[in-house]
Amino acid sequence: MAVKQQLHNSLVYFLAFSSGFSIMGIELLGGRILAPYFGSSVHIWGSIITVFMLSLSLGYLFGGKLSTLNPSLKRYGLIFILSGITVLPIALWAPNIMESIFIRIEDTRYGSLLASMALFFIPTVILGMISPYSIRLLVEDREKSGQVAGRLYFVSTIGSALGTIMTSFYFVLWFEVNDIIFAYCTVLIALGLIALAFHHKEPSRHE
């Protein structure tokens, strides 16, 4: 049981790290995606950051609620798979969405805000669900819940920092933006499938 628990916890930490990496990578790409239509001034980044912060806050709320309903690696994996699927339209339909908004809204402040909502709101809400769900999967003793949450957010934030560096320093120089988005989609779905593959090894307390 101890080995299974250790494997379970290591997997959750790895997936939380990867989600942090992905969130920041996608957020940074948002500036490159919106720039051809709305520019790259400070209010464009204000729109992107606002949408991501709002979406993550809702994701934390929903993820915390979902984690009280018989939490398992199976459901955890499905969150990753769903997030990967909802990221995909960013690569497929971003130009059409932005062009439609650009034509109808002259003020780039509100145009960029609406475009950010259309492109990033849903996937970021789902990605935000991962952190609170991760904590629920890791907590064995309520007295240590604060310690577990601190460790989880440490790991996730390290992932976010690396996602920021890798995306901004390297990925955008090596690959096209859509290729990076497709890669994030693939990684998120693959991580979800890994969680599904391991769900039968969960300790009985989560069944």
Side-chain angles (χ1 to χ4, degrees), residues 1-16 71-74 76 133-140 148 152 195 198-207:
M1 180 63 71
V3 175
K4 286 185 177 181
Q5 185 63 49
Q6 185 60 44
L7 179 62
H8 171 277
N9 290 352
S10 297
L11 177 62
V12 173
Y13 280 120
F14 172 70
L15 293 178
S72 66
L73 276 179
K74 182 177 181 179
Y76 191 54
Y133 207 96
S134 300
I135 294 173
R136 180 63 185 89
L137 290 175
L138 291 168
V139 170
E140 301 175 63
V148 170
L152 186 282
F198 277 89
H199 84 272
H200 65 280
K201 297 182 179 180
E202 284 186 311
S204 59
R205 68 186 181 90
H206 290 310
E207 295 297 337

Side-chain angles (χ1 to χ4, degrees), residues 22 32 36 75 86-87 95 98 102 108 126 144 148 155 194 204:
S22 301
R32 295 288 292 270
R75 291 185 180 181
T86 55
V87 166
M98 289 187 296
F102 180 75
T108 57
I126 298 170
K144 297 182 178 180
V148 170
V155 170
I194 290 172
S204 59

Side-chain angles (χ1 to χ4, degrees), residues 18-19 21-30 33 52 55-56 78-95 97 115-128 130 177-191:
S18 301
S19 72
F21 191 108
S22 301
I23 289 169
M24 286 308 301
I26 294 168
E27 182 174 357
L28 279 171
L29 292 175
I33 293 171
F52 270 79
S55 303
L56 287 173
L78 291 175
I79 295 174
F80 277 86
I81 292 172
L82 185 58
S83 68
I85 292 172
T86 55
V87 166
L88 186 59
I90 298 173
L92 296 179
W93 302 319
I97 292 172
S116 297
M117 288 287 290
L119 293 172
F120 305 116
F121 181 78
I122 293 177
T124 309
V125 167
I126 298 170
L127 285 166
I130 293 172
V177 170
N178 277 356
D179 293 335
I180 304 172
I181 293 293
F182 280 125
Y184 279 124
C185 293
T186 302
V187 168
L188 289 169
I189 292 172
L191 291 171

Side-chain angles (χ1 to χ4, degrees), residues 145-166:
S145 60
Q147 181 180 1
V148 170
R151 188 180 299 119
L152 186 282
Y153 282 115
F154 169 79
V155 170
S156 177
T157 303
I158 291 296
S160 296
L162 287 177
T164 300
I165 289 292
M166 293 302 297

